[in-house]
Amino acid sequence: MVETPVPDARSLGQRARDHLWLHFAQHAAFADAEVPVIARGEGVHVYDERGRRYLDGLAGLFAVQVGHGREELARAAAEQTRTLAYFPLWGHAHPKAVELAERIAAKAPGDLDRVFFTGGGGEAVETAWKLAKQYFRRAGEPHRHKVVSRTLAYHGTSQGALSITGIPGARADFEPLVPSTVKVPNTDFYRPPVHGADPEAFGRWAADEIDRAIEREGPETVAAVFLEPLQNTGGCFPPPPGYWQRVREICDEHGVLLVSDEVICAFGRLGHDFGAHRYGYRPDIITAAKGLTSGYAPLGAMVASERLMRPFLAEGASFTHGSTYGGHPVSCAVAMANLDLMEAEGLNEHVLANEAGFRAVLDGLRDLPIVGDVRGAGFFYGIELVKDQATAEPFTAQDRERVLRGHVSPALFEAGLYCRADDRAEPVVQLAPPLIAEQRHFDEIGQILRAVLSEAWRVL
Ligand SMILES: Cc1ncc(COP(=O)(O)O)c(C=O)c1O
């Protein structure tokens, strides 16, 4: 006799504990608690499986630029699935990849005219490092293979991208990683090791640290410098004035490629197509992902200078790199529809016109004693939490556990705000809502933060 399966009466949040392995998550936290299950999204809001609404203060994971539930993107995915659901970019093209590559090349700065699609951001970073290495091999500088990147910067989790990543806790259990990566200081001007009163001098120093690192390693061995336009991890460290210009000079002096890792910063997050536009520099390679499809389908891109393609145009040469899903037709179709929407709705302009209003709300929290610093740009901010505003005394490990993980994170969610309380460096609350967010949403974010951070101070 065939037995009829008994339906599982438990909630999804309970069932999630049995088989689903969450990313970067402490599963012990769910021993006595359900896993939160987000089931639906609309505009700047997401809804859990019970129908409770949350303001999405992080655009999912810095991705959902046009907001949730956009019919236009669903339609583009469905149409492409019907027309050509899948074909690889291995020696063939498909129409949406051609159109999207043209469109990205037209938006990208300078001669960044060649677009290599990947499945996501970390893969784009891997691709850029591999291109840098193979390019120099082909260009007669075979010893250039090293990469310079910044402390705390996150560039992905595959072993190459993780080697470029500078978060000690993310790396420790995977050492030895890919050798030949070098770390330099980031641009944390809240805790500057030197030139605390002078952002320009600080920026010059931070850039010159890259110069010194290249000199130490031997310029003939260094392939590339990987930097985000505005560094995410640590809580949105903006570049000091003149920083990028000096970095460009240094890379030129040493013949090193400058890679702008724009996995977060591209496609409107800073109010421009690329972060390089906002800060006025010309990289040799851009890596991008997330906002390219507003997260509706996985896609990343490495956008390279035409010059870097040249050795691969020779008879018999090829960039020996690729993947099954890089440039997936459905993802490319979604990206085209997403860029259509972003342009039609003027989202870059919307960000530039409204960033001051967003920032003012967050700056308004500085009267709370737990708020040490507020920094960022566009729709991308971090609020650093401290024990003492006057001295910038940081949280201890126990404070982080008790206050950040134990209170701030769950309380924000409970209050209806999804965002990120991050302690991979000093504790920060990070905010990066969909780019369609308006002042009323910023005001709501501000109210929730004020209540939760005031209570956190009492807990501290
Ligand atoms: C700057 C940067 N680079 C790379 C990555 C990795 O992207 P993905 O998670 O799509 O692999 C991220 C992810 O957040 C990122 O912020």
Side-chain angles (χ1 to χ4, degrees), residues 120-123 125 154-156 228 232 261 263-264 290:
E123 248 188 77
V125 169
Y154 182 82
H155 295 284
E228 290 163 87
N232 173 36
D261 183 358
V263 168
I264 291 179
K290 299 188 188 263

Side-chain angles (χ1 to χ4, degrees), residues 207-358:
D208 284 346
E209 282 292 300
I210 295 174
D211 187 41
R212 286 186 275 275
I214 294 173
E215 290 285 0
R216 253 192 329 268
E217 294 296 318
E220 72 289 353
T221 69
V222 181
V225 173
F226 278 68
L227 309 171
E228 290 163 87
L230 183 155
Q231 181 174 317
N232 173 36
T233 309
C236 293
F237 300 133
Y243 176 80
W244 273 108
Q245 288 62 36
R246 177 68 190 130
V247 171
R248 180 70 266 180
E249 269 174 26
I250 291 164
C251 289
D252 286 343
E253 275 164 29
H254 295 299
V256 169
L257 301 179
L258 178 53
V259 182
S260 188
D261 183 358
E262 309 215 4
V263 168
I264 291 179
C265 291
F267 304 112
R269 182 59 49 203
L270 302 180
H272 293 266
D273 291 327
F274 292 100
H277 290 132
R278 173 143 190 158
Y279 298 117
Y281 62 92
R282 181 188 46 77
D284 299 298
I285 299 177
I286 288 177
T287 49
K290 299 188 188 263
L292 175 55
T293 60
S294 277
Y296 279 61
L299 185 65
M302 178 197 68
V303 193
S305 156
E306 184 62 30
R307 171 173 70 92
L308 302 180
M309 177 76 169
R310 233 168 272 145
F312 301 99
L313 296 174
E315 195 66 32
S318 71
F319 179 29
T320 40
H321 181 68
S323 68
T324 303
Y325 292 131
H328 193 286
V330 175
S331 302
C332 290
V334 168
M336 288 296 285
N338 177 56
L339 296 178
D340 286 346
L341 261 186
M342 290 190 64
E343 287 168 15
E345 296 181 1
L347 290 189
N348 282 344
E349 296 75 14
H350 175 76
V351 169
L352 293 177
N354 290 279
E355 64 179 332
F358 189 14

Side-chain angles (χ1 to χ4, degrees), residues 64-324:
V64 189
Q65 317 296 63
V66 297
H68 296 272
R70 303 300 301 260
E71 188 52 36
E72 298 88 333
L73 301 197
R75 218 178 303 122
E79 273 167 24
Q80 185 60 43
T81 306
R82 266 184 235 111
T83 311
L84 178 70
Y86 175 69
F87 211 78
L89 291 177
W90 293 44
H92 295 78
H94 56 74
K96 292 297 175 193
V98 177
E99 291 167 18
L100 185 60
E102 281 173 356
R103 194 160 179 181
I104 293 172
K107 288 177 182 294
D111 72 339
L112 271 68
D113 286 340
R114 290 286 176 171
V115 183
F116 187 103
F117 289 116
T118 67
E123 248 188 77
V125 169
E126 289 283 345
T127 303
W129 190 5
K130 287 183 72 178
L131 174 66
K133 286 167 99 169
Q134 201 180 3
Y135 165 77
F136 281 122
R137 284 272 159 100
R138 302 280 156 171
E141 296 190 79
H143 301 298
R144 286 195 188 267
H145 61 281
K146 296 180 186 169
V147 165
V148 177
S149 60
R150 294 187 290 204
T151 50
L152 297 180
Y154 182 82
H155 295 284
T157 48
S158 60
Q159 303 225 20
L162 185 59
S163 306
I164 298 176
T165 290
I167 304 170
R171 298 166 52 100
D173 285 346
F174 306 98
E175 301 279 2
L177 284 164
V178 182
S180 63
T181 58
V182 184
K183 300 291 172 286
V184 293
N186 56 47
T187 57
D188 179 0
F189 191 60
Y190 182 59
R191 299 177 184 282
V194 293
H195 302 300
D198 183 346
E200 280 186 12
F202 171 68
R204 173 90 189 184
W205 168 83
D208 284 346
E209 282 292 300
I210 295 174
D211 187 41
R212 286 186 275 275
I214 294 173
E215 290 285 0
R216 253 192 329 268
E217 294 296 318
E220 72 289 353
T221 69
V222 181
V225 173
F226 278 68
L227 309 171
E228 290 163 87
L230 183 155
Q231 181 174 317
N232 173 36
T233 309
C236 293
F237 300 133
Y243 176 80
W244 273 108
Q245 288 62 36
R246 177 68 190 130
V247 171
R248 180 70 266 180
E249 269 174 26
I250 291 164
C251 289
D252 286 343
E253 275 164 29
H254 295 299
V256 169
L257 301 179
L258 178 53
V259 182
S260 188
D261 183 358
E262 309 215 4
V263 168
I264 291 179
C265 291
F267 304 112
R269 182 59 49 203
L270 302 180
H272 293 266
D273 291 327
F274 292 100
H277 290 132
R278 173 143 190 158
Y279 298 117
Y281 62 92
R282 181 188 46 77
D284 299 298
I285 299 177
I286 288 177
T287 49
K290 299 188 188 263
L292 175 55
T293 60
S294 277
Y296 279 61
L299 185 65
M302 178 197 68
V303 193
S305 156
E306 184 62 30
R307 171 173 70 92
L308 302 180
M309 177 76 169
R310 233 168 272 145
F312 301 99
L313 296 174
E315 195 66 32
S318 71
F319 179 29
T320 40
H321 181 68
S323 68
T324 303

